[in-house]
Amino acid sequence: RLRSVMAATPPPSAPGGPEPPPTPLQYSLLLQHLVGEKRQPRAWDPAALGGIPSPPKSEEQKMVERAMESCAFKAALACVGGFVLGGAFGVFTAGIDTNVGFDPKDPYRTPTAKEVLKDMGQRGISYAKNFAIVGAMFSCTECVVESYRGKSDWKNSVISGCITGGAIGFRAGLKAGVIGCGGFAAFSAAIDYYLR
């Protein structure tokens, strides 16, 4: 490159003589080296930009990543998370409910702490089971839909929300299934919108 530029540059004039006219800059040659055919591709190196270079992943790390990305692991994680969240929600709703420990045979009797705690535990377990089933169904359905479509976008959560809500509501009839499908799909779209 330097030789071609130096060859195009005329020799300097003698001291005290008239200055030769400057040679015009050839933008076409410059553009060929910057964006044209003669441009040299650069290897992207995070260390050159000040980042921490990451070593190549071992087979064990790849195997763990594949296991964590599997549908079974996602469904199990959603099931456990739903169980914990449902249990907490059930205990909370039982704690603020005034009918916990209420005996319909003797409405004026004050329930004991043992009866209240027993009812709170029963409600917490019931909510935990329901949340775990819904979480596992939604997560497994979303993973299957994502694998089938080959894309990760908002449509996956809407489709899986509709399938999950429809399956849960269908036990009460066709109308309840349609309402469940629409409700779960709208809720999934809203959650996905706010999370992304």
Side-chain angles (χ1 to χ4, degrees), residues 5-184:
V5 172
M6 290 175 66
T9 307
S13 62
E19 290 289 328
T23 57
L25 183 62
Q26 297 181 353
Y27 288 105
S28 59
L29 290 176
L30 185 64
L31 288 175
Q32 282 183 3
H33 288 287
L34 292 177
V35 294
E37 299 172 353
K38 296 183 180 180
R39 179 175 179 259
Q40 298 292 326
R42 291 187 182 188
W44 187 78
D45 186 12
L49 300 173
I52 300 173
S54 58
K57 294 179 182 177
S58 64
E59 287 300 320
E60 290 83 10
Q61 288 175 326
K62 292 178 183 177
M63 186 176 66
V64 169
E65 284 184 0
R66 282 194 298 269
M68 291 180 72
E69 290 294 323
S70 68
C71 293
F73 181 80
K74 289 180 180 179
L77 190 64
C79 184
V80 171
F83 189 86
V84 171
L85 183 65
F89 187 70
V91 169
F92 173 74
T93 56
I96 61 174
D97 188 4
T98 57
N99 292 327
V100 173
F102 177 74
D103 187 7
K105 296 177 184 175
D106 189 8
Y108 296 107
R109 187 180 67 85
T110 304
T112 63
K114 184 177 180 181
E115 293 171 342
V116 171
L117 290 175
K118 182 180 177 184
D119 280 359
M120 288 174 70
Q122 287 176 348
R123 188 179 293 191
I125 292 294
S126 174
Y127 275 58
K129 288 178 183 177
N130 291 335
F131 274 57
I133 290 170
V134 171
M137 280 178 63
F138 179 83
S139 179
C140 192
T141 308
E142 185 179 29
C143 187
V144 169
V145 169
E146 184 177 335
S147 299
Y148 177 76
R149 292 184 67 232
K151 295 178 184 177
S152 178
D153 56 6
W154 61 274
K155 293 179 184 177
N156 295 337
S157 59
V158 172
I159 294 170
S160 54
C162 180
I163 293 172
T164 305
I168 293 171
F170 191 68
R171 294 182 299 176
L174 182 61
K175 185 178 179 181
V178 171
I179 293 172
C181 172
F184 263 75

